[in-house]
Amino acid sequence: MKNWDVIVIGGGHNGLVNACYLQRSGLDVLVLEQKDWVGGAATSRSLTPGFVYSNCSYVCSLFRPEIMRDLELPRFGLQVIPYEGGAVFTQDGDYLANYRDHHAHRREFARFSPRDAEAYERYACDVTRQCRFIQPLLMRTAPDPTSFKPRDIGELIYLGRKFSDMSAEEMALTMRFWTMSISDFLDEYFETDVIKANFALSGIIGTALGPMSPGTAYVLLHHYMGEVDGSVGAWGYARGGMGAVTQALAASFQASGGTIRTGAQVEQVLVKNGHAQGVVLAGGEEVLGKLTVSNADVKRTFLKLVEPKELPDIFLRRVKNFKIRGSSGKVNIALGSMPEFPALPDDSPCYRGDLHFTDSVERMERAYDDWKEGRWSADPFIDMVIPTTLDPTMASPGKHFMSCFVQYAPPKVGGREWTDADRDGFAESVISQIADYSPGFRERIVHMEVRTPREIEAETGLTEGNIFQGELTFDQLLFNRPVPGYAQYRSPVGGLYMCGSSTHPGGGVMGAPGRNAAVEILRDLKRGANHVSAAHDVI
Amino acid sequence: MVAVAKTKSRTKLAEQAHFRTLRLPSPFQPRLEALAAQQDWYDWAGYKAPHALWDDELEYFAIRSQAALFDISPMVKYRIEGPDAEAFLNRVTLRNVTKLKPGRVHYTAWCDDEGYVLDDGTLFRFSADRFRLCCQERHLPWLLDSAIGYEVSVVEETQEVAGLALQGPTSFAVLRDAGFKGVEKLKIFDLAEFPHEKGSVTISRTGFTGDLGYELFVPVKQALSLWDRLIEGGKLHGIRPMGYTALNRARIEAGLIVANADFVTGDSAIRTDRLRMPDEIGLGFMIDPAKGHFNGRRAILDARQNKTLKHVLVGLEIEGNIPAEHAIVYHRGKREVGLVSAAIWSPTAKRNIAIASLQRPYGDTVVDDLWVEIYAMRELQYHKLMKRAKVVPRPFIKLDRRTANPPGER
Ligand SMILES: Cc1cc2nc3c(=O)[nH]c(=O)nc-3n(C[C@H](O)[C@H](O)[C@H](O)COP(=O)(O)OP(=O)(O)OC[C@H]3O[C@@H](n4cnc5c(N)ncnc54)[C@H](O)[C@@H]3O)c2cc1C
């Protein structure tokens, strides 16, 4: 029986990134994906003729350009197109736009508050400074502060030096960023509700916290750390939907000789003498591997695939306590024609950006109140984009794909499982909000894919449907992600590694966890990692 | 009250259309467009502004030989008024505002609490409690926050007030023939109101060229009539509208610095090592330790006392005639000690001049053996030149006509 060099459980983008790097170093790598397609939360599927959806993730920024280049993803079809700003509709029939042009952006804010318009400069500067601090950490394994290995000490010194290079003021700001609520943070810069709401959304996306919960300021940073072709903080569409990222990864992996098996659900990791030997698939087939890497989240991996007796109890307890609460849903809509928003001029570039309806932080917080009560939000927060305004490949001319990311949706409804009726109610809360701003919207709908945390978990294996494989609060970042002492992609089981978003630096279609895990594995195998580029300099 | 709110929201809706015009037209746009044979525009703080209209070299010589007219409307302007305006401005800006008499203008700068320069600009004092602050960058939140506790109002009026600079040896004659009676009484840094149309124009004897010159401010409604009046008055005095390229040459000769060209302003510096104290960019003369508390005072005085100032801004004269723009400055041809931020061959001084920021002690106590490395691109090839640089005082030119009283006619 074949004994693979490496088995990767899960063909999400991080599993594929990891597999690509390992295969390229000469190892014989097998990816086992439970679904009939690869991609995990980065997929494009056609569910109705003539339309392709980005089923889960829908916009791209975090994916590291170093990885795109190393793995030759452009050659395998990856293109990322930056999109225009966007707008928040206000309840009085106006809107607040975000424009790419610096001065247009300022003049737009000045319509609401001349003071806030100018305050934006300082805000943008402060956020940029913080991103520059964190960006270089993305592509480095977090140091283990309890270890005395030279490398950990070196990394700790690196961190410490970065910190001590800061002025007292900057250090204070950094600490605030890591601990504050996004609402309090924005209050330090802005006075206008809709302007605060405009920025607050980045602090709550994918997070089971409200804008007034401490820790959400950091979540905002996480969403600003990406780039499109060097334009830091910019977001774009992957041409063909987010599945284009994982399709390119799969093609790159196969071109370098890697093997993917879809429809192969791993039921158990085989452990003998504290060392992983391979996996058992649903149906009983055993697949042997010298090393096993799990792309599934930390809960699925260690609470479902590994027998508890193989794990130290403190580790097990911490995995159980890892916060991975579902908070979001998704409604993908195929439209027979372009929706109209009378508040927005026909020639507004905002149609090619992200659109929102929640015009105050308070409304966001109320939406979160519903989540705490175990209900989907009656007045949900929606991040809505129409990628087909810039991507001609996802629908035929004149027709459109609209992606709605929705908060909040609890993992359970009032303590019980979601039902189909609940799902329809959830969808209705979204459609009716859009229809309030877009007359005739319902008539344009050709098809809809509605995904509550139930559907997201069923389809991607993301526990509770948590989009980041675990919340991005500071207690679950760096050397605490996912579990203190196990933040370097290794696990208590020999030969079993983690490479999903549960690990540092966290979720989003970023690829960094998969890459960093590959570097650690290659280190353990004492193999070179020259084909893994260092992070681009931040100058 | 309700009616007011309605009009406000109506204009707010009407303003939506701004996204279709990324570069705002200046109040003088009809006149500039008609003259802009070059059609060479740039973005000045969100306004469409000309690099040159007809010929930047001839425009420069208009400054030095006749009179050149330059649109300064895009400059950011704040109206600062109230019984505490003087005390407030004395607190936030460096120079002593109690010494600035009504009818006078001074060049000043302002810092954050850590003593880093946020911007420089000119402060116009119209009366005991009415001021205008003109600058390059925007500071409304900072000004408003600093105003807490003072009886003062701060309003941005950039879009409401049009401005023109009239500079050159015949500029006084232009104003006189345009009918501004009594303008000869203005001494350097004086300002006064003169009737224009149904309203008035503020004229100050100020400028950015080191030459005889004036600046004029009017409400935007009277902008075009003011322009026409000056052109008419200047017919016999060689008046010539100009773009920024010509002005930039003149200001380098005058040794004047430009925010975010010769130094990075505090609010826009992402890299903290780019921040500068006034003493590090040649603005130490503005500091008046005797005047009492002002923003950044303690940090600035501490840095002086502890000798922790890291940089110095100097004028350089460089051998040869190739401008050294953005060249690296070396000590002994080896050690990198700074950067040239602006450089030209000066037609008036007939010298190759530059403004540079150096790391102390270079440029401060160590001034010999400095060199600049010039990369001159000629027909797709760099000529790498290592040229000797000498620290010289600014301004690089000194024209008596700038301050002569009464002002000369030509
Ligand atoms: C609705 C939604 C919207 C999002 N929007 C964005 C966005 O716009 N931009 C962005 O950057 N990020 C977004 N995210 C987050 C981002 O998509 C995820 O964080 C990221 O895709 C996770 O990638 P991963 O490779 O770490 O894990 P996953 O994508 O979760 O991959 C894990 C893979 O493992 C497989 N698997 C699990 N268990 C087994 C098993 N037992 N056997 C075999 N295979 C198994 C799964 O099927 C899956 O393919 C979104 C996520 C969701 C859910």
Side-chain angles (χ1 to χ4, degrees):
Chain A
M1 192 169 169
K2 175 157 184 173
N3 194 2
W4 296 84
D5 289 334
V6 183
I7 294 173
V8 178
I9 305 173
H13 82 284
N14 277 315
L16 291 169
V17 165
N18 185 262
C20 281
Y21 277 115
L22 296 179
Q23 181 75 34
R24 278 170 184 249
S25 83
L27 296 166
D28 200 5
V29 183
L30 171 69
V31 172
L32 296 172
E33 166 57 48
Q34 60 179 356
K35 293 290 157 186
D36 293 332
W37 57 87
V38 294
T43 46
S44 305
R45 298 177 61 217
S46 180
L47 301 179
T48 188
F51 292 89
V52 175
Y53 293 155
S54 276
N55 306 76
C56 287
S57 58
Y58 50 102
V59 285
C60 187
S61 166
L62 304 173
F63 198 52
R64 300 309 308 160
E66 298 88 340
I67 299 174
M68 297 191 205
R69 179 186 162 279
D70 281 352
L71 305 180
E72 304 173 274
L73 299 189
R75 178 152 86 86
F76 297 102
L78 180 62
Q79 255 184 285
V80 181
I81 305 132
Y83 64 72
E84 304 248 17
V88 184
F89 292 101
T90 53
Q91 290 174 84
D92 61 358
D94 198 352
Y95 61 83
L96 170 82
N98 290 290
Y99 295 115
R100 280 166 65 86
D101 181 80
H102 182 85
H103 297 294
H105 198 270
R106 173 172 52 73
R107 286 184 198 119
E108 177 68 6
F109 278 35
R111 290 205 299 125
F112 293 82
S113 156
R115 182 190 196 284
D116 284 1
E118 298 194 13
Y120 173 72
E121 312 271 327
R122 191 165 68 84
Y123 166 80
C125 234
D126 283 349
V127 170
T128 306
R129 284 193 198 126
Q130 292 301 310
C131 286
R132 290 168 54 85
F133 175 71
I134 293 171
Q135 225 188 18
L137 306 178
L138 300 178
M139 302 270 272
R140 306 172 80 103
T141 297
D144 181 348
T146 62
S147 134
F148 291 99
K149 286 196 210 117
R151 193 161 65 86
D152 286 308
I153 292 170
E155 284 292 304
L156 276 173
I157 290 173
Y158 171 85
L159 252 183
R161 187 166 301 142
K162 277 184 73 73
F163 215 73
S164 66
D165 278 351
M166 291 184 174
S167 66
E169 168 121 352
E170 276 184 301
M171 222 179 276
L173 184 72
T174 301
M175 295 313 290
R176 298 166 76 78
F177 240 121
W178 290 350
T179 54
M180 276 176 108
S181 77
I182 187 60
S183 171
D184 285 346
F185 184 72
L186 291 168
D187 281 345
E188 299 204 344
Y189 298 87
F190 303 112
E191 59 187 15
T192 313
D193 269 350
V194 60
I195 289 178
K196 285 189 257 183
N198 179 62
F199 294 115
L201 64 97
S202 299
I204 56 162
I205 281 202
T207 305
L209 294 170
M212 298 179 182
S213 315
T216 43
Y218 178 82
V219 180
L220 171 127
L221 268 194
H222 192 83
H223 286 99
Y224 276 35
M225 262 172 325
E227 61 181 277
V228 176
D229 294 321
S231 161
V232 174
W235 285 79
Y237 299 128
R239 199 166 188 267
M242 286 301 268
V245 173
T246 45
Q247 286 305 315
L249 283 167
S252 169
F253 177 56
Q254 285 164 330
S256 61
T259 311
I260 298 176
R261 269 181 71 181
T262 52
Q265 185 178 3
V266 172
E267 267 189 354
Q268 203 195 328
V269 177
L270 285 169
V271 183
K272 212 195 254 164
N273 301 330
H275 205 279
Q277 310 290 323
V279 299
V280 186
L281 299 184
E285 182 189 343
E286 286 193 4
V287 184
L288 299 185
K290 292 170 207 153
L291 296 181
T292 304
V293 190
S294 176
N295 178 201
D297 66 59
V298 65
K299 286 211 188 209
R300 184 157 306 266
T301 305
F302 293 102
L303 304 181
K304 299 241 166 83
L305 304 183
V306 179
E307 284 193 56
K309 68 172 172 19
E310 304 292 346
L311 299 168
D313 58 341
I314 172 106
F315 177 83
L316 210 52
R317 193 165 63 235
R318 283 186 166 153
V319 170
K320 281 186 185 143
N321 289 337
F322 186 66
K323 280 180 298 172
I324 194 165
R325 302 171 298 182
S327 61
S328 356
K330 183 90 195 286
V331 180
N332 297 314
I333 309 172
L335 294 168
S337 55
M338 183 71 188
E340 280 163 24
F341 292 91
L344 209 56
D346 287 347
D347 58 344
S348 172
C350 299
Y351 285 104
R352 297 184 293 276
D354 44 25
L355 300 173
H356 308 105
F357 307 103
T358 309
D359 59 357
S360 74
V361 171
E362 193 187 328
R363 274 177 77 191
M364 265 176 211
E365 185 69 19
R366 297 243 177 268
Y368 177 53
D369 289 342
D370 288 337
W371 180 91
K372 284 184 276 185
E373 302 286 329
R375 294 187 303 258
W376 62 87
S377 305
D379 176 20
F381 161 74
I382 305 179
D383 184 33
M384 181 171 88
V385 292
I386 310 174
T388 39
T389 53
L390 290 171
D391 178 352
T393 68
M394 302 181 79
S396 50
K399 310 221 183 305
H400 289 281
F401 156 52
M402 175 189 268
S403 161
C404 299
F405 182 87
V406 189
Q407 256 172 240
Y408 293 80
K412 289 210 162 80
V413 179
R416 58 163 172 78
E417 298 300 328
W418 281 79
T419 64
D420 289 356
D422 294 332
R423 182 196 57 205
D424 295 346
F426 165 78
E428 178 52 27
S429 73
V430 175
I431 301 303
S432 78
Q433 190 179 74
I434 300 172
D436 280 349
Y437 293 81
S438 183
F441 182 73
R442 287 173 197 273
E443 287 71 59
R444 298 179 205 271
I445 300 175
V446 175
H447 176 268
M448 237 170 26
E449 180 191 23
V450 183
R451 332 190 74 195
T452 70
R454 175 183 66 162
E455 283 78 20
I456 294 176
E457 171 156 12
E459 194 168 302
T460 60
L462 289 167
T463 299
E464 291 199 16
N466 182 296
I467 79 165
F468 296 133
Q469 290 198 355
E471 264 166 37
L472 295 174
T473 45
F474 209 67
D475 56 322
Q476 301 199 151
L477 290 175
L478 281 167
F479 33 72
N480 286 333
R481 190 171 185 91
V483 166
Y486 295 95
Q488 299 184 332
Y489 311 97
R490 296 175 188 82
S491 78
V493 178
L496 176 61
Y497 296 80
M498 308 171 247
C499 76
S501 298
S502 289
T503 59
H504 170 77
V509 179
M510 176 153 37
R515 170 207 175 270
N516 295 352
V519 171
E520 292 303 322
I521 292 166
L522 292 172
R523 193 187 305 274
D524 288 353
L525 293 175
K526 304 204 165 38
R527 295 177 83 96
N530 288 338
H531 61 304
V532 189
S533 292
H536 288 160
D537 295 335
V538 176
I539 58 165
Chain B
M1 213 43 220
V2 175
V4 174
K6 269 218 175 105
T7 1
K8 195 173 162 246
S9 79
R10 215 178 301 129
T11 51
K12 180 165 149 276
L13 284 176
E15 284 167 2
Q16 284 181 350
H18 72 85
F19 73 87
R20 299 192 182 97
T21 314
L22 293 186
R23 299 295 154 259
L24 286 190
S26 133
F28 300 106
Q29 205 65 20
R31 300 295 179 271
L32 293 171
E33 291 285 348
L35 293 165
Q38 291 262 9
Q39 288 291 314
D40 179 7
W41 305 98
Y42 74 105
D43 167 3
W44 179 3
Y47 283 82
K48 186 177 177 185
H51 269 130
L53 293 168
W54 172 254
D55 180 318
D56 62 80
E57 194 169 353
L58 300 183
E59 286 163 26
Y60 162 80
F61 280 104
I63 303 175
R64 294 291 181 233
S65 176
Q66 292 168 304
L69 190 61
F70 182 68
D71 175 12
I72 54 173
S73 308
M75 214 159 45
V76 177
K77 307 170 207 83
Y78 295 104
R79 185 166 64 230
I80 299 171
E81 296 177 348
D84 289 343
E86 179 188 275
F88 164 68
L89 284 162
N90 214 28
R91 206 327 270 291
V92 294
T93 64
L94 291 180
R95 288 180 75 174
N96 192 336
V97 181
T98 63
K99 289 187 183 160
L100 181 69
K101 298 280 166 286
R104 293 285 291 168
V105 184
H106 72 199
Y107 171 44
T108 186
W110 44 104
C111 296
D112 62 17
D113 291 337
E114 287 165 286
Y116 295 118
V117 178
L118 293 171
D119 209 348
D120 62 350
T122 40
L123 183 63
F124 293 72
R125 185 165 199 171
F126 301 120
S127 70
D129 52 9
R130 281 175 44 238
F131 293 82
R132 173 180 294 144
L133 188 62
C134 294
C135 49
Q136 189 72 15
E137 297 300 324
R138 295 177 166 272
H139 307 282
L140 190 59
W142 180 77
L143 288 168
L144 290 174
D145 290 350
S146 308
I148 293 168
Y150 290 95
E151 209 176 309
V152 63
S153 77
V154 180
V155 178
E156 202 236 279
E157 55 175 10
T158 308
Q159 290 207 48
E160 293 151 40
V161 179
L164 285 172
L166 178 69
Q167 303 280 304
T170 65
S171 54
F172 160 66
V174 173
L175 290 180
R176 183 197 57 200
D177 289 3
F180 292 108
K181 285 205 184 62
V183 77
E184 69 282 354
K185 293 201 201 90
L186 292 181
K187 298 201 179 72
I188 185 114
F189 290 119
D190 278 351
L191 72 80
E193 301 271 322
F194 295 84
H196 176 65
E197 303 269 279
K198 291 199 186 77
S200 69
V201 47
T202 307
I203 304 183
S204 55
R205 188 165 163 187
T206 49
F208 210 53
T209 59
D211 219 306
L212 172 62
Y214 300 86
E215 288 172 317
L216 300 86
F217 292 97
V218 280
V220 287
K221 279 212 179 76
Q222 273 118 55
L224 293 179
S225 62
L226 176 66
W227 177 285
D228 295 342
R229 184 173 170 184
L230 295 176
I231 296 289
E232 187 58 31
K235 255 187 183 162
L236 303 179
H237 304 294
I239 191 169
R240 182 198 281 269
M242 67 163 168
Y244 183 69
T245 308
L247 178 79
N248 191 43
R249 265 191 231 183
R251 74 93 184 171
I252 296 172
E253 291 184 323
L256 300 167
I257 58 172
V258 172
N260 286 321
D262 297 291
F263 70 98
V264 182
T265 55
D267 270 351
S268 62
I270 288 168
R271 297 158 185 82
T272 41
D273 61 350
R274 308 302 203 267
L275 298 169
R276 293 291 183 269
M277 290 195 161
D279 288 303
E280 297 178 305
I281 54 171
L283 303 184
F285 72 92
M286 293 176 175
I287 293 158
D288 182 353
K291 82 168 190 179
H293 182 65
F294 61 91
N295 265 47
R297 181 177 189 273
R298 189 188 308 161
I300 290 167
L301 297 184
D302 283 356
R304 279 183 173 184
Q305 195 180 351
N306 303 334
K307 305 211 183 320
T308 51
L309 293 163
K310 290 197 192 81
H311 301 91
V312 63
L313 185 134
V314 294
L316 293 180
E317 185 180 339
I318 296 161
E319 64 176 339
N321 66 350
I322 315 279
E325 178 131 58
H326 293 147
I328 294 176
V329 183
Y330 292 90
H331 182 241
R332 300 216 165 111
K334 275 205 290 291
R335 190 193 171 96
E336 205 181 306
V337 297
L339 183 87
V340 171
S341 54
I344 53 161
W345 166 261
S346 161
T348 300
K350 302 295 180 218
R351 291 192 289 161
N352 196 24
I353 59 173
I355 296 171
S357 281
L358 306 187
Q359 283 132 38
R360 292 172 190 244
Y362 303 99
D364 180 26
T365 51
V366 182
V367 292
D368 58 339
D369 222 349
L370 294 175
W371 300 78
V372 296
E373 188 176 38
I374 303 170
Y375 280 70
M377 173 75 92
R378 297 288 182 276
E379 298 180 327
L380 287 185
Q381 208 166 298
Y382 274 123
H383 292 258
K384 244 168 64 173
L385 313 168
M386 199 49 114
K387 294 290 182 189
R388 198 175 269 285
K390 202 170 84 190
V391 174
V392 296
R394 291 175 298 140
F396 299 98
I397 58 161
K398 222 170 170 172
L399 299 167
D400 291 338
R401 61 186 180 234
R402 171 172 173 264
T403 49
N405 288 313
E409 283 183 38
R410 55 182 79 92

